[in-house]
Amino acid sequence: MALANEIRRYRFDSGEMTQKELADFVGVSRQTINAIEGDKYPPSLDVAFKIADVFGASIEDVFLYVPDDDGLHEFAAGLVIEVPLDADDKDGGN
């Protein structure tokens, strides 16, 4: 299980808000925001709601539940999913 987030994008869209400014609004340290934003660990539910509230967004818009690390990798790669070729289609359809 993993929790991906859009905090960096929301900070940028909010006038390039710094991690320190967000931390002050939420009531945590800059290091905590850095760790959450960097997917080092998930926020508490209280902190997640506070972060979303700062941006006027829903928690679902800021945070995305990904069931496993493979899913997180796909999310981080822009949700690109590799589809194996059919055994009868060895030339890729050309």
Side-chain angles (χ1 to χ4, degrees):
M1 174 189 84
L3 195 65
N5 70 74
E6 294 286 336
I7 295 173
R8 184 173 172 81
R9 181 179 63 82
Y10 273 96
R11 286 194 305 106
F12 181 80
D13 291 347
S14 297
E16 298 187 30
M17 178 188 295
T18 66
Q19 289 179 341
K20 173 73 170 120
E21 289 169 329
L22 178 57
D24 289 345
F25 283 126
V26 174
V28 298
S29 70
R30 183 202 59 80
Q31 292 84 353
T32 297
I33 295 297
N34 180 273
I36 294 168
E37 186 175 304
D39 295 325
K40 302 231 183 335
Y41 68 83
S44 69
L45 194 53
D46 183 54
V47 169
F49 273 107
K50 287 179 181 178
I51 290 171
D53 190 52
V54 166
F55 299 122
S58 71
I59 197 167
E60 295 91 353
D61 289 337
V62 179
F63 296 95
L64 174 69
Y65 169 74
V66 182
D68 57 37
D69 289 341
D70 290 335
L72 181 59
H73 177 72
E74 288 176 13
F75 174 79
L79 297 176
V80 175
I81 300 171
E82 292 183 30
V83 178
L85 294 175
D86 185 7
D88 296 331
D89 191 16
K90 296 182 195 282
D91 67 353
N94 294 323

